[in-house]
Amino acid sequence: MSVTAPRGFRAAGVAAGLKSSGARDVALVVNDGPDAVAAGVFTANRVKAAPVLWSQQVLRTGLVRAVVLNSGGANACTGAPGFQDTHATAEHAAAALSGSADGGPEVGAGEVAICSTGLIGERLPMQRLLPGVAAAVAGLAADGGLAAAEAIMTTDTRSKTTVVAGTGWTVGGMAKGAGMLAPALATMLCVVTTDAVAGPAMLDEALREACRVSFDRVDSDGCLSTNDTVLLLASGASGIAPSQAELTAAVTEACRDLARQLVADAEGASKEVAIEVVGAAGEDDAVEVGRSVARNNLVKTALFGNDPNWGRILAAVGTTGAAFEPDDIDVAVNGIWVCRSGAAAEDRAKVDLSGRQVAIRIDLHAGSAEATIWTNDLSHAYVHENSAYST
Amino acid sequence: MSVTAPRGFRAAGVAAGLKSSGARDVALVVNDGPDAVAAGVFTANRVKAAPVLWSQQVLRTGLVRAVVLNSGGANACTGAPGFQDTHATAEHAAAALSGSADGGPEVGAGEVAICSTGLIGERLPMQRLLPGVAAAVAGLAADGGLAAAEAIMTTDTRSKTTVVAGTGWTVGGMAKGAGMLAPALATMLCVVTTDAVAGPAMLDEALREACRVSFDRVDSDGCLSTNDTVLLLASGASGIAPSQAELTAAVTEACRDLARQLVADAEGASKEVAIEVVGAAGEDDAVEVGRSVARNNLVKTALFGNDPNWGRILAAVGTTGAAFEPDDIDVAVNGIWVCRSGAAAEDRAKVDLSGRQVAIRIDLHAGSAEATIWTNDLSHAYVHENSAYST
């Protein structure tokens, strides 16, 4: 049930005509409380879309009553007019929510976060978006989570939702994007909700730790979006206050589940690749090595060609600053140790790459830290989809 | 005439059976002097092929009498046995050259540099390579430069050679690779020769500056090879000693010419893209921004699709640490300023991307430094070629 699985939340997803396909393109998530606590993590790209700049301001208060999300346009690189469009959207949503007959609280525009995704550099059609927001307010429902998850899809072939059960409280979530939080393919948007009782600092800590080991470990194509946003909203409706560790664990599980769904549905991918780096001197080294391999186009095209080309993997490892000796490195592809001590070992012909799941294990023999990075292959379909997206 | 254009050099290119196609695969360049001064620049990859480790030792003396180059195998990630193979190749070449009836000087193995290119992770077939080296010695000729340039080709569709005239002295060169020195696609090998009189320090300075603004500004696919090598050999046969500035300028011109030929022949590319970054606070900023755009797969696939997607360009700029304000950036594609002050400007439909040459100009409005990075698009042919290369 997505973001409406926890108590205290309603959601909606409507078709406002932003997408030429006529599919749902405006989503709304409302926190009916009693609390309206929130935390957010945003793209590290210095070119930030108007909704990111807006929502960063909103999140500064730690108070969010509603999130409006639209597909069909990123509202990025649109200058001051684009920011005014975001502001107007928040005002419109706040007014509609305050005037609705559902008995909810008065909502100010400064309590409405905005997320957008789609083509960069074009203004949003406000004459369609604002009626869409009104329709979403009218359509809010306690089981609206799935419709909302559909409305934020762009090149996604299926919606991504999750539910994680705590003890008497719940975490729910939805996400879109064929990519990742830090480096991002198209744009990644994610809203996670919970009915746990938690303050803003606790939410912030839970969300940052969850992102660090989930979305930040996904690197589909190394591209960092202008719009990436992950929000965590808490209603407190369960009346139960978990510990920091319990909350962090549940939010992390939700984010990991959504991150895996993003990789599984990445644009044009024919492989889901887990790059496990072990024996690293530190976790940062493991992440750096994993990310370098994940971003290497020669490794990615080899995987598309079902070729266990470990030489390209070693070449990618060699570009990092991680602690290792080249002659110590072992590499396994789908369980076959094709490289031992930096040179050929088991017969590469033994590697079965016919399936969709690929596991690459790299042992640096430099320590005991480890990390896993998730990525995809580089396929004809990726080139096709991304060469035709905006024209 | 490639590396044999300057006086004092002979070369050969023979077919030793390393390539299954039966094409030339072993090249030899010999410096007959009177001088045998040399400088070298090698891959920054920490996983270095055996011939790179060997040639780095050879170059430490600043004295190189011959270079053996082979395609058909990189001899990278081959451990101690691979290094012994390289050593044996140098010994074999030195013995053959010393025993030949051409009146040349005695040659020691420590004066023979080795370069290899091809698949990583497999031993070279020494039973073919060593007879090939002997055949190359027997075939040395003052007009052998073109045959040598052919023998180092791998996925290159044509050989790359250059000649630059000084005043009474000459610079010649050959290169292979569909990529670059710093980040490298497959492997880039380059030998530049001159009959100018120059000491090792002068050669070293000329070569480093030349590489900095030529091969180091090419970024076809962001991948850094284990084998990249650029060598500069001086015979002094002209008897003329140019100034440092004159030598640097001529070597730079030769390297730039070869670098452009590499980009023009990059694997599967349908576009040659010049990314000019102007208005940067410093040259390092300009290079960082240009390289970030050059490596962005979303930008590269858009160019393949003839789509002037400036939003993706801005998103790539935004991932750098360069000095700029997002709202100041201008972007032109093939002369049309599609983005001004970080937002849409001229109609993108005006951009003509039907040709092979693409010029992207990015004005950061943060200073007066500039740099140009050369790259390619990301095409179906790139995916095809690199998904099938080793299998």
Side-chain angles (χ1 to χ4, degrees), chain A residues 25-29 67-71 115-116 151-152 174 189 191:
Chain A
D25 46 23
V26 173
L28 178 64
V29 181
V67 185
V68 177
L69 309 95
N70 75 274
S71 50
C115 301
S116 300
I152 58 175
M174 65 176 185
L189 300 180
V191 178

Side-chain angles (χ1 to χ4, degrees), chain B residues 26-308:
Chain B
V26 174
L28 177 65
V29 180
V30 172
N31 183 350
D32 289 321
D35 302 338
V37 193
V41 171
F42 300 92
T43 181
N45 200 310
R46 291 167 59 200
V47 175
K48 294 184 204 303
V52 169
L53 296 171
W54 171 266
S55 297
Q56 284 182 319
Q57 286 186 9
V58 169
L59 264 293
R60 227 164 263 156
T61 65
L63 178 75
V64 171
R65 293 203 187 275
V67 185
V68 177
L69 308 95
N70 75 273
S71 50
N75 196 8
C77 305
T78 46
F83 189 80
Q84 286 160 14
D85 289 343
T86 292
H87 188 175
T89 305
E91 292 279 6
H92 196 76
L97 286 166
S98 299
S100 63
D102 61 6
E106 286 291 307
V107 177
E111 299 165 344
V112 180
I114 309 282
C115 301
S116 300
T117 177
L119 184 63
I120 300 174
E122 298 196 352
R123 298 278 300 279
L124 290 172
M126 295 302 286
Q127 75 285 6
R128 290 180 190 160
L129 177 57
L130 296 184
V133 171
V137 171
L140 280 170
D143 61 354
L146 293 181
E150 267 178 42
I152 59 175
M153 291 165 61
T154 53
T155 55
D156 308 71
T157 64
R158 43 189 184 276
S159 62
K160 286 95 178 169
T161 63
T162 191
V163 177
V164 177
T167 309
W169 51 280
T170 304
V171 171
M174 65 178 186
K176 67 76 52 178
M180 66 232 64
L181 179 65
L185 170 77
T187 285
M188 189 233 139
L189 300 180
C190 174
V191 178
V192 178
T193 55
T194 181
D195 50 14
V197 176
M202 187 166 162
L203 287 187
D204 191 67
E205 183 176 331
L207 187 62
R208 282 181 196 285
E209 172 60 16
C211 287
R212 192 180 71 82
V213 296
S214 59
F215 301 119
D216 276 346
R217 299 271 167 99
V218 173
D219 198 324
S220 182
D221 72 350
C223 298
L224 180 65
S225 162
T226 50
N227 288 56
D228 296 324
T229 302
V230 184
L231 300 175
L232 173 58
L233 313 179
S235 69
S238 71
I240 296 172
S243 70
Q244 177 77 61
E246 288 169 334
L247 181 68
T248 299
V251 174
T252 299
E253 189 179 332
C255 288
R256 276 205 169 126
D257 184 19
L258 291 168
R260 286 298 302 274
Q261 293 179 55
L262 295 180
V263 171
D265 193 28
E267 286 175 0
S270 72
K271 306 283 186 195
E272 298 165 38
V273 186
I275 302 168
E276 281 183 84
V277 181
V278 302
E283 190 176 307
D284 286 353
D285 275 11
V287 170
E288 184 190 357
V289 166
R291 204 178 282 287
S292 176
V293 174
R295 289 186 179 180
N296 189 284
N297 280 351
L298 293 175
V299 171
K300 293 162 86 84
T301 46
L303 292 173
F304 171 62
N306 292 341
D307 172 11

Side-chain angles (χ1 to χ4, degrees), chain A residues 21 39 57 128 147 201 219 290 323 340 352:
Chain A
S21 65
Q57 286 185 11
R128 292 180 188 159
D219 198 324
R340 290 275 192 194
D352 179 5

Side-chain angles (χ1 to χ4, degrees), chain B residues 4 132 138 152 196 250 380-381:
Chain B
T4 47
I152 59 175
H380 285 300

Side-chain angles (χ1 to χ4, degrees), chain A residues 45-47 77 121 224 297-298 301 305 307 310 312 314-315 318-320 322 324 326 342-343 348 380 382 386-387 389-390, chain B residues 45-47 77 121 297-298 301 305 307 309-310 312 314-315 318-320 322 324 326 342-343 348 380 382 386-387 389-390:
Chain A
N45 200 310
R46 291 168 59 200
V47 175
C77 305
L224 180 64
N297 279 352
L298 293 174
T301 46
D307 172 13
W310 61 268
R312 294 180 181 179
L314 247 65
T319 64
T320 70
F324 67 83
R348 56 197 287 153
H380 285 299
Y382 176 87
N386 286 297
S387 61
Y389 184 50
S390 81
Chain B
N45 200 310
R46 291 167 59 200
V47 175
C77 305
N297 280 351
L298 293 175
T301 46
D307 172 11
N309 196 321
W310 61 268
R312 293 181 180 177
L314 248 64
T319 64
T320 71
F324 68 83
R348 56 198 288 154
H380 285 300
Y382 176 88
N386 287 298
S387 60
Y389 184 51
S390 81

